[in-house]
């Protein structure tokens, strides 16, 4: 058995996060239906905003549109703003070999996007770019409530995203 290096010595995976705002100021969230190595889900905390890795040499603004399409099918969106880089650590992981197990966590740049299409294009279950679906359902939710719906290791990042993008959620009651 190969001994893993100390978690503190592992790098962060570069990643983009997506706050896709609908016309009423709520954001799109998806329900994760399975764990992905150290990216666990917990009962009652399956919801999150779309996110995904940045490919080698890929610019974050390109990655965000690719990930939005891969995870939701959405192509009709415009970028409204972005955050500085934020990070979170994965929870302890002692499972089988996994592509994310070589990382300490994720270093993310979050983007606020305005959805300009029709809800008919939102389809989280389709396979795109040979990437398996991560969500089995989706809905619109108030940005200030999303941190309470995610796994604990993501909560502080979600609170920061809510603070950073609150101006785009102004249509909320």
């Amino acid at each position: 058995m190969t001994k893993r290096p100390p978690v503190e010595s592992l790098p962060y995976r570069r990643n983009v996060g997506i706050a896709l705002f609908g016309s009423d100021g709520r954001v799109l969230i998806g329900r994760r239906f399975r764990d992905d190595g150290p990216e666990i889900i917990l009962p009652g905390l399956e919801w999150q905003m779309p996110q995904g890795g940045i490919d080698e040499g890929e610019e974050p603004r390109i990655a965000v549109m690719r990930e939005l399409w891969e995870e939701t099918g959405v192509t009709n969106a415009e970028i409204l703003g972005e955050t500085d880089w934020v990070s979170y650590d994965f929870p302890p992981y002692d499972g089988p070999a996994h592509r994310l197990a070589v990382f300490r966590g994720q270093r993310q740049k979050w983007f606020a996007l305005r959805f300009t299409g029709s809800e008919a294009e939102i389809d989280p279950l389709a396979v795109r770019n040979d990437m398996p679906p991560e969500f089995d359902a989706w809905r619109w939710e108030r940005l200030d409530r999303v941190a309470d719906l995610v796994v604990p290791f993501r909560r502080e990042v979600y609170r920061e995203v809510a603070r950073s993008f609150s101006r785009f959620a102004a249509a909320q009651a």
Side-chain angles (χ1 to χ4, degrees):
M1 180 171 170
T2 305
K3 185 172 177 168
R4 292 190 176 139
V7 170
E8 302 79 32
S9 70
L10 297 176
Y12 285 96
R13 177 180 182 236
R14 286 179 14 115
N15 187 282
V16 291
I18 302 161
L20 180 67
F21 288 89
S23 60
D24 66 355
R26 292 182 298 160
V27 292
L28 183 140
I29 60 174
R31 185 177 65 200
R32 289 188 68 146
F33 62 97
R34 65 175 182 278
D35 291 336
D36 190 15
E39 288 271 276
I40 62 166
I41 56 172
L42 299 171
L45 302 173
E46 300 94 352
W47 295 92
Q48 70 177 58
M49 290 183 278
Q51 66 177 51
I54 299 172
D55 293 338
E56 186 69 33
E58 187 177 38
E59 291 297 319
R61 284 180 165 251
I62 301 299
V64 75
M65 299 309 289
R66 176 186 50 76
E67 283 292 337
L68 178 64
W69 173 73
E70 283 179 2
E71 294 195 2
T72 69
V74 170
T75 57
N76 292 295
E78 57 188 33
I79 295 175
L80 301 171
E82 64 187 74
T83 65
D84 290 331
W85 292 96
V86 295
S87 300
Y88 68 82
D89 289 351
F90 293 136
Y93 179 73
D94 291 322
H98 190 276
R99 65 185 174 85
L100 296 178
V102 298
F103 298 104
R104 175 180 183 168
Q106 305 215 69
R107 183 171 180 250
Q108 299 180 304
K109 181 171 279 286
W110 280 82
F111 289 85
L113 291 93
R114 176 76 58 208
F115 181 48
T116 58
S118 161
E119 286 188 3
E121 76 182 271
I122 303 172
D123 178 10
L125 286 170
V127 174
R128 297 177 192 89
N129 284 347
D130 296 323
M131 300 301 295
E134 292 188 28
F135 305 126
D136 67 355
W138 68 274
R139 72 178 202 236
W140 298 106
E141 182 58 76
R142 286 180 32 170
L143 179 62
D144 62 352
R145 294 189 51 192
V146 179
D148 295 331
L149 304 173
V150 303
V151 290
F153 63 91
R154 286 198 183 114
R155 284 198 181 132
E156 191 49 44
V157 166
Y158 272 58
R159 288 182 182 117
E160 179 60 33
V161 168
R163 285 188 291 273
S164 296
F165 293 157
S166 63
R167 67 190 181 276
F168 304 121
Q172 296 179 16

